[in-house]
Amino acid sequence: MALLVLLFAVGIFFALFHEKDAFYLEKYANADAKFYNEYIITSVDEGVYMLDFEGKVVRSYEGLKASWMYTYPEDGLVVYSNHDNETHLLTLDEEMNMVSDQVILTTELLAIDPTICKAGDTYLVTHTTIDGTINNPDPNGDNGVYTLQLYASKDLESFEHRSTIVSEKHDIEDIDMMYVNNTLYCIYEKENYDKGPSKICMKLSEDEGISWSEEVVLIENGGDNEFSCVLKEYDGYRLFYSSDQENPGQSYNGASAYSAFFDADFRPVPEHDRKEAMKDNSGIRLYEVKEYEGYLYFMFAHNYMTDKDFVLRKVEID
């Protein structure tokens, strides 16, 4: 009888946990957030914290200052940059304790939105420097020059400049990079002006970032299209983004989460595009999406320009 009671209690706990649609943290006001395996690393007031999927802090990293971040959990790595014009490499052990934190790049200009990936035995890191006006909000104003730079390292100690991917008087932001079948993909948002119409674009490299293809537009500028990430599917790629296309000019607070599908050669398949069916799909600034145990997890800021809530929602995969 006692065993039956125990099994029943365990069953109730599992059902409650299984039905939880993750978390909603009010007024959290984080600057960035990325998945790190089955956890989330985020920056709040430039402090760095690791959360579980219920929104509880499981690690905090004293002394670090981060505003923009990107993860490579396969090797226990987090790359981040801050308002001191530094790009850092944070190394974690299997329990997510800090092993080391080192400055790998410094610039005279603000450097934002770093990424890291691996091509063969070489680590590739990017960041975007801004020369001139940062986040120009005026359609008739003068944008700064945003330059997306690529660096390479085999030992994670010394990083050499490998190429300039793009340099323009557009806001070049929200970068993602992946290496698949000997091809390096760099995907980014190109914004006319801050919170204005933007495209999501891609460049390819067949020589590990030494040279790059011409720019390919993946999403046209029908709104403020904030690029999130790309997930590989069995027959292609799904690109996730948030957009105010239904509420032009409202930016994050008028945006919803969408995805576009591309085949294995990155050709668009519009009939598989969709507006994501999830709770709270309005007022979205989408940080990242992760597939895990039959669910898609959407991590985003809700009403970022006013409430600044931090939300994780899970949606069962069809």
Side-chain angles (χ1 to χ4, degrees), residues 114-127:
T115 72
I116 184 170
C117 74
K118 196 173 184 181
D121 63 351
T122 302
Y123 291 94
L124 301 172
V125 168
T126 71
H127 65 195

Side-chain angles (χ1 to χ4, degrees), residues 13-199:
F13 172 81
F14 177 78
L16 289 172
F17 178 80
H18 187 70
E19 290 175 2
K20 280 180 67 69
D21 61 352
F23 62 70
Y24 194 110
L25 305 178
E26 295 184 351
K27 309 292 184 182
Y28 197 74
N30 56 341
D32 201 359
K34 293 291 186 290
F35 287 107
Y36 186 92
N37 293 325
E38 288 74 59
Y39 295 89
I40 293 164
I41 191 164
T42 187
S43 59
V44 182
D45 294 329
E46 291 204 322
V48 180
Y49 306 90
M50 192 77 74
L51 311 182
D52 63 17
F53 276 17
E54 295 182 15
K56 298 175 182 176
V57 175
V58 296
R59 294 286 186 280
S60 61
Y61 302 98
E62 299 298 325
L64 305 189
K65 292 176 63 179
S67 291
W68 304 273
M69 53 182 53
Y70 194 96
T71 64
Y72 191 75
E74 297 91 330
D75 289 352
L77 302 174
V78 178
V79 63
Y80 68 89
S81 55
N82 57 36
H83 287 87
D84 293 335
N85 302 348
E86 300 170 339
T87 299
H88 287 239
L89 185 68
L90 170 65
T91 304
L92 304 178
D93 64 17
E94 292 183 356
E95 284 73 44
M96 300 178 297
N97 298 307
M98 183 169 65
V99 176
S100 65
D101 175 65
Q102 58 180 317
V103 179
I104 57 173
L105 300 167
T106 58
T107 64
E108 295 180 357
L109 305 170
L110 180 65
I112 67 171
D113 291 348
T115 72
I116 184 170
C117 74
K118 196 173 184 181
D121 63 351
T122 302
Y123 291 94
L124 301 172
V125 168
T126 71
H127 65 195
T128 303
T129 60
I130 308 172
D131 187 2
T133 305
I134 299 168
N135 291 337
N136 161 52
D138 184 355
N140 300 311
D142 187 28
N143 281 18
V145 177
Y146 284 62
T147 302
L148 176 55
Q149 305 277 20
L150 177 71
Y151 301 83
S153 175
K154 292 184 183 294
D155 59 8
L156 294 177
E157 295 291 336
S158 59
F159 286 79
E160 296 183 353
H161 183 262
R162 177 159 285 188
S163 63
T164 296
I165 303 172
V166 60
S167 183
E168 295 186 11
K169 277 197 166 187
H170 290 91
D171 292 9
I172 306 296
E173 300 175 330
D174 301 332
I175 320 301
D176 198 7
M177 192 166 58
M178 59 184 181
Y179 188 70
V180 181
N181 297 329
N182 298 316
T183 299
L184 183 61
Y185 297 82
C186 185
I187 303 173
Y188 51 92
E189 176 193 1
K190 184 161 75 170
E191 198 168 37
N192 292 358
Y193 53 90
D194 188 41
K195 299 181 179 60
S198 57
K199 301 175 182 178

Side-chain angles (χ1 to χ4, degrees), residues 174 176 178 185-189 199-202 216-220 225-233 236-243 245 257-263 266 268-269 272-276 286 288-289 296 298:
D174 301 332
D176 198 7
M178 59 184 181
Y185 297 82
C186 185
I187 303 173
Y188 51 92
E189 176 193 1
K199 301 175 182 178
I200 298 175
C201 303
M202 177 179 70
V216 177
V217 177
L218 300 178
I219 305 292
E220 294 286 354
N225 297 319
E226 298 288 324
F227 173 50
S228 168
C229 63
V230 171
L231 296 184
K232 183 76 173 72
E233 296 189 357
Y237 301 90
R238 185 163 292 280
L239 182 154
F240 294 89
Y241 65 106
S242 49
S243 175
Q245 58 189 259
Y258 300 85
S259 68
F261 185 75
F262 299 84
D263 68 15
F266 250 101
V269 187
H272 293 313
D273 296 352
R274 67 193 184 208
K275 181 178 180 179
E276 295 298 332
L286 188 61
E288 198 172 18
V289 181
L296 285 178
F298 292 82

